[in-house]
Amino acid sequence: MLTRRTFLASTAAAASIRAVPQVAKTPPARRILTLVYDKALGSMRAIDKLVR
């Protein structure tokens, strides 16, 4: 018997099976933090970039 709870559990399991191989293939991204002087603010500002 397919109830709402079993339907949600089965769809979540199917989605996780599809997502796991894609996560394993992608290399971790590096974060680069740069400090710049913002004239409008009159202070330093941090810019965070993700580089693959």
Side-chain angles (χ1 to χ4, degrees):
M1 182 174 191
L2 187 64
T3 62
R4 180 178 177 209
R5 181 176 290 171
T6 57
F7 173 75
L8 291 174
S10 63
T11 54
S16 67
I17 289 173
R18 288 184 185 168
V20 168
Q22 293 175 356
V23 170
K25 289 180 188 175
T26 58
R30 288 184 2 187
R31 296 183 83 117
I32 298 177
L33 182 66
T34 309
L35 293 174
V36 295
Y37 183 75
D38 192 348
K39 291 180 184 177
L41 292 174
S43 63
M44 298 295 284
R45 189 167 58 115
I47 299 175
D48 192 21
K49 273 198 240 179
L50 286 175
V51 178
R52 295 188 185 261

